[in-house]
Amino acid sequence: MKHEQANKEIGSKGTEPQKSRGGKGKSKRSSPQSPIPSPQPPVPNTQSPVPNLDNWLEIGKIVSPQGLSGELKVYPVSDFPERFEVPGKRWLLRSGDTEPQPIELLTGRYISNKNLYVIKLAGVENCDQAEALRGCKLMVPASDRPQLGEDEYHVLDLIGLEVFMQASGELVGTVVDIIPAGNDLLEVKLHESFATDKKQKTVLIPFVEAIAPVVDLKSNRIEITPPPGLLEINN
């Protein structure tokens, strides 16, 4: 299941997510193919302290410098390696800014044992310049959402879907988040009529085809066939 979070493709606004169910498809995240721009320093907008991210997807967050030559470690929130490995135009959102500013991605590579990318941005030549970008977010336009393959879904399209037992038609609850794991998990807020333990508010359901065989975006529903005990194991 691929994912990128819009405004944070995984469930929150401002990231780039997509999900494909286990058993078919795989998680990816995508990369822009825009022309390479000249880097521009961000200009703070003092009139509006709240970023307007409705038109943007967050793909990653800069966590620290890497070495002394200006490389940066980035924690990805997008499943598409191209976002970090294919050179071209990206956007940088600094703390306190209201709009991302364009910047050029020069190179990128994945560090598998740390789930991080190491990237090089134009104009960032040393450790001090890299340190100044700690905590900044990498963004792409929301219009740059990648094309989905068969049995793949954008995370944002899954949030809010109602979940039903396929056999009985009973309403289980509503998807409120997607938890990335070996197989992605649907976090479902239980409907009051379904929860036997009133203290249990949510349940985690593996988003694999064997358990969630029906995903109908048009009807706003997911049908599940959980094995015995799955829903109770969350207690």
Side-chain angles (χ1 to χ4, degrees):
M1 176 174 191
K2 294 184 177 180
H3 82 264
E4 285 192 312
Q5 299 180 90
N7 296 27
K8 206 170 208 167
E9 256 180 356
I10 282 190
S12 60
K13 277 203 162 188
T15 318
E16 184 178 52
Q18 300 179 308
K19 293 292 178 181
S20 62
R21 288 175 295 172
K24 286 188 179 180
K26 60 181 180 179
S27 290
K28 285 189 77 177
R29 314 181 190 194
S30 94
S31 77
Q33 303 295 327
S34 315
I36 294 175
S38 300
Q40 301 177 15
V43 179
N45 184 336
T46 58
Q47 296 181 344
S48 177
V50 179
N52 178 13
L53 299 180
D54 289 345
N55 298 321
W56 298 94
L57 300 177
E58 179 188 340
I59 60 171
K61 184 175 183 179
I62 296 172
V63 294
S64 68
Q66 166 72 19
L68 302 177
S69 63
E71 288 188 317
L72 298 153
K73 293 180 182 177
V74 175
Y75 176 75
V77 291
S78 169
D79 281 334
F80 294 87
E82 308 96 295
R83 296 293 195 195
F84 312 97
E85 296 175 350
V86 176
K89 190 175 183 179
R90 307 294 188 273
W91 284 260
L92 190 69
L93 181 66
R94 295 175 183 262
S95 177
D97 284 2
T98 57
E99 290 289 339
Q101 300 298 318
I103 197 163
E104 180 186 347
L105 174 69
L106 300 178
T107 62
R109 63 187 186 276
Y110 184 57
I111 310 299
S112 59
N113 61 335
K114 296 184 178 180
N115 189 30
L116 292 171
Y117 286 89
V118 174
I119 66 169
K120 180 71 172 175
L121 298 176
V124 183
E125 304 294 340
N126 56 54
C127 186
D128 288 341
Q129 291 174 329
E131 179 63 39
L133 299 182
R134 184 189 293 265
C136 294
K137 296 177 180 180
L138 287 176
M139 316 290 290
V140 294
S143 59
D144 192 30
R145 287 172 68 168
Q147 295 296 314
L148 298 179
E150 182 183 358
D151 204 42
E152 294 175 347
Y153 308 89
H154 286 289
V155 165
L156 292 181
D157 293 336
L158 297 175
I159 303 298
L161 296 187
E162 292 183 323
V163 178
F164 295 86
M165 297 291 288
Q166 188 175 61
S168 66
E170 185 178 6
L171 175 61
V172 177
T174 304
V175 178
V176 294
D177 202 356
I178 309 296
I179 309 299
N183 285 316
D184 295 303
L185 302 172
L186 301 173
E187 183 178 2
V188 177
K189 182 179 180 181
L190 293 173
H191 189 269
E192 58 182 13
S193 65
F194 187 86
T196 55
D197 180 353
K198 298 305 179 183
K199 294 181 180 179
Q200 184 183 3
K201 302 299 183 182
T202 62
V203 66
L204 298 177
I205 300 172
F207 192 48
V208 296
E209 190 168 9
I211 296 175
V214 175
V215 180
D216 189 338
L217 299 182
K218 291 183 179 179
S219 298
N220 194 47
R221 67 186 286 135
I222 295 174
E223 297 178 10
I224 62 171
T225 57
L230 175 66
L231 302 183
E232 289 76 21
I233 201 173
N234 288 266
N235 288 329

